[in-house]
Every structure is written in structure tokens, then in C-alpha cells.
Amino acid sequence: MQLAKFAYRPSLRMETGVSLPVVLMFLLVITILGTLGIRRATTGETLSRNQLDYEVARQAAEAALRDGERDLRIPSVLQTNALCARDTNRPLVVGAPHFDTNCPRGQCRFELTHYDTSNYMATPVVNPEPWWPTINDKQGRWDGDPAGAASPKPGDATGVNVNCNFDGSVPLGTFTGVARLAGVARQPEYLIEYLGRGDDQLMRITSRGFGADINTEVVMQTYYRPYK
């Protein structure tokens, strides 16, 4: 009696493992999640920085408003730490040459009818308000492009040109001696407009402040009646 002999032969079927595709898929998902996380963190940081810069500009504009009010109360003598002295328009003389349409040393006066038809959307601009910019044909009295060259005024970005006979806006502390601000791209400034009738010395003060970035700008206005 003979026993049957069986020979063992290994299977020729190829292995079809799934480990590599699964690992690659996990790596792709992790990479996408990591990228989204980085972008979200970067966006959050940018928003926080912009908000902080806005707050700096807002507080700078607020400081300029208060400085404009203080300016209306000072006498016509050089104040401590001030770069310039106010002329002899204290008590206030609200007519030319102290207050006129050229806004000498930050003091503007227009007829009230000027404001009634003011329109910056027209071409050319009709009766420009003094606190409009000078750029883009707006024909206002701000110092043009804030990112451009510093204006030749006291307290400008150069800090060396003390020109006390200027037209247009007043940099912070020019007449009052208030300390200049640190950490801003440009010192805040203000304009004073006389809007009164008769003995009513109603003033409108418009200010603008800048953040650490020159392109961050805040404009504020207030109405003020100086005491006589």
C-alpha cells in the first residue's frame, strides 16, 4: 500500500495591503488641519493688531480734540513747552486775519451759506469744508496725503522745522505745550471753525489721529463754546 504524497506550494496570490493609503490619508488630513490652524491664528493676530492700532488712533484724535479746546482758552503768550505763541486774538477775535477761509494757524471762518451748499461729490467740489483732505481734489485744509512728506509745521514728523506762520491744521501741543505722543506714525492735529452768529462764539473742532501705521486714521468732531 502506497501513501499519497502532497507537495506544499506557497500561494502565488499577491498581497493587497491598505496601510500605506490610510497613512497617507491621515497625513493629508493632519496637514490640512495644521494649515487651517496657522491661517486662523495669523488672521486673529492681524485683527487684534488692527484693533489695537485703531484704538491708538482714536485716543490720539481724542487728545487733539481736547488740545483744540485748550487752545481756545490760552492767552496770547508763549505757553510752557509750546513751540509757538498765539497771536493777539485772545480774547477771541473771530474775524480776519485771525479766522478766515485760509484757516491761518488752524482757525477757520466761512459764511454759514458756505456749508449749506457744500458737496464733495460734485465735480469740481462745491464749497469744500476745511477738514476735508487736500488730495483727490477735495480741496480741504488737512495736510494732503498723510503718507506723504511731513508738512512744514511745528510738531511735524521731522521735529526740526518750527514754522509758526502756517495755514491749515494744528499739530498737537503747538500752542498749548502738551507733550507729543509716542508710538504714533504722525502727531494728531486739529482745526477750529467758527460757526457762531453775533455774540454766540460756537466753535467746531475737528481732529484726526494716527496709529502706529500711517494708514490707520480716525477723525472726530466736537462743538465747543469758549468762555469769555
Side-chain angles (χ1 to χ4, degrees), residues 1 13 15 30-31 44 49 52 61 82 107 111 113 127 151 158 163 168 197:
M1 181 177 179
R13 187 178 60 179
E15 296 293 335
I30 292 173
T31 302
R49 187 184 303 112
L52 177 60
Q107 300 178 136
E111 296 299 327
T113 54
N127 291 350
S151 58
T158 63
N163 172 25
R197 295 175 181 269

Side-chain angles (χ1 to χ4, degrees), residues 118-161:
S118 182
N119 183 2
Y120 78 94
M121 296 297 292
T123 304
V125 171
V126 176
N127 291 350
E129 301 228 14
W131 49 272
W132 291 350
T134 57
I135 60 174
N136 299 328
D137 298 324
K138 294 300 182 287
Q139 304 176 29
R141 286 293 174 179
W142 283 139
D143 295 331
D145 183 4
S151 58
K153 295 181 181 180
D156 63 16
T158 63
V160 296
N161 189 350

Side-chain angles (χ1 to χ4, degrees), residues 1-224:
M1 181 177 179
Q2 294 183 348
L3 297 176
K5 296 182 179 180
F6 296 95
Y8 173 76
R9 294 182 180 180
S11 175
L12 298 179
R13 187 178 60 179
M14 297 181 62
E15 296 293 335
T16 56
V18 295
S19 299
L20 182 58
V22 171
V23 171
L24 292 176
M25 185 62 69
F26 272 110
L27 288 176
L28 178 61
V29 171
I30 292 173
T31 302
I32 293 174
L33 293 177
T35 302
L36 292 176
I38 292 172
R39 292 186 61 181
R40 184 174 181 180
T42 303
T43 301
E45 182 181 358
T46 301
L47 291 175
S48 298
R49 187 184 303 112
N50 289 344
Q51 181 64 28
L52 177 60
D53 209 32
Y54 167 79
E55 288 299 324
V56 171
R58 185 188 64 79
Q59 293 182 31
E62 181 75 21
L65 277 184
R66 300 296 167 247
D67 198 43
E69 295 175 358
R70 192 178 296 108
D71 184 358
L72 288 168
R73 300 195 301 267
I74 61 174
S76 55
V77 295
L78 183 64
Q79 302 297 295
T80 303
N81 298 323
L83 297 176
C84 301
R86 271 299 181 194
D87 44 27
T88 56
N89 68 336
R90 300 295 193 270
L92 288 174
V93 178
V94 293
H98 309 296
F99 281 76
D100 67 25
T101 56
N102 290 324
C103 300
R105 292 151 63 90
Q107 300 178 136
C108 313
R109 179 170 181 175
F110 295 84
E111 296 299 327
L112 295 182
T113 54
H114 176 93
Y115 298 97
D116 294 338
T117 56
S118 182
N119 183 2
Y120 78 94
M121 296 297 292
T123 304
V125 171
V126 176
N127 291 350
E129 301 228 14
W131 49 272
W132 291 350
T134 57
I135 60 174
N136 299 328
D137 298 324
K138 294 300 182 287
Q139 304 176 29
R141 286 293 174 179
W142 283 139
D143 295 331
D145 183 4
S151 58
K153 295 181 181 180
D156 63 16
T158 63
V160 296
N161 189 350
V162 180
N163 172 25
C164 292
N165 297 312
F166 58 89
D167 293 336
S169 54
V170 180
L172 180 75
T174 298
F175 297 107
T176 63
V178 170
R180 282 58 171 174
L181 300 183
V184 295
R186 176 171 166 175
Q187 290 300 305
E189 52 193 3
Y190 61 88
L191 281 170
I192 301 172
E193 297 171 82
Y194 173 72
L195 300 178
R197 295 175 181 269
D199 294 333
D200 182 13
Q201 292 188 341
L202 176 65
M203 304 292 178
R204 180 168 68 180
I205 304 172
T206 306
S207 70
R208 67 172 177 174
F210 301 92
D213 184 344
I214 192 65
N215 295 308
T216 304
E217 179 179 340
V218 173
V219 176
M220 290 184 172
Q221 284 185 332
T222 187
Y223 291 85
Y224 181 77

